[in-house]
Amino acid sequence: MIPMNKAIRSILILSLTLMVGCTTRVADLTLVSTKNIDLSKATLDIRKGRRVKGEDCTIALLGLFPLGIPNLENAMDDALEKGRGNVMVDQVTYLSGVYFVLASQSCVRVEGTVLNVRS
C-alpha cells in the first residue's frame, strides 16, 4: 500500500505534467477603439495616457464543450474601462490557452495606452 503523502505527491506531479499553456501575439495596432469617436479635430497626447491590460476568458470542459468564445471587443472594453478612456494606442493583442486534464481556458488579452478623446 502506498502511503498517503506519496499518493498526493504523485497526483500533484501528474497533474502538473499534464497542464500545458501557450500564448501567441496576433496583432499590433496603432490606434483602436470600440467606441464611436470623431477624430477629425482630436489631438492625441500619449503622455496623458497609461498602459492598461484587458482580457476576456472562457472555459471548455473536456476540451469538447466550450462555455463561450473569448471576444476581442469585450477585452478592449475591459481595458478602456480600466483606463477610463475611449481609445487605445500602441495596442497589442494576445491569444492564450491553458489546458488541464478535464478543462481548458482560452483568453484574448489586449495591452496598450488608453487615452480619453473628447468628441
Side-chain angles (χ1 to χ4, degrees), residues 2 5 8 13 23 25 31 36 42 50 55-56 58 67-68 70 83 86 90-91 94-95 113 117:
I2 299 175
N5 287 340
I8 292 173
I13 290 171
T23 299
R25 186 177 184 152
L31 179 71
N36 291 325
R50 64 181 181 111
E55 69 178 1
D56 186 41
T58 60
L67 302 178
N86 56 9
D90 299 330
Q91 187 258 6
Y94 298 95
L95 291 177
T113 304
V117 176

Side-chain angles (χ1 to χ4, degrees), residues 5-6 11 16 21 24 26 41 50 52-53 55 63 66 73 82 86 90 92 95 98 102 110 113 115:
N5 287 340
K6 284 189 179 183
I11 291 171
L16 289 175
T24 304
V26 293
K41 296 177 185 162
R50 64 181 181 111
V52 178
K53 295 179 184 178
E55 69 178 1
E73 184 176 4
K82 286 179 182 176
N86 56 9
D90 299 330
V92 182
L95 291 177
V98 178
L102 298 175
V110 297
T113 304
L115 302 171

Side-chain angles (χ1 to χ4, degrees), residues 34-35 52-56 72-84 88 108-110 114:
T34 58
K35 314 296 182 202
V52 178
K53 295 179 184 178
E55 69 178 1
D56 186 41
L72 178 60
E73 184 176 4
N74 292 342
M76 280 290 304
D77 286 339
D78 182 41
L80 292 174
E81 287 173 17
K82 286 179 182 176
R84 295 187 180 126
M88 185 180 284
V108 60
R109 189 178 83 238
V110 297
V114 173

Side-chain angles (χ1 to χ4, degrees), residues 24-48:
T24 304
R25 186 177 184 152
V26 293
D28 294 312
L29 304 171
T30 303
L31 179 71
V32 65
S33 181
T34 58
K35 314 296 182 202
N36 291 325
I37 303 168
D38 179 16
L39 294 176
S40 62
K41 296 177 185 162
T43 56
L44 300 176
D45 186 1
I46 198 165
R47 295 170 295 181
K48 292 184 179 180

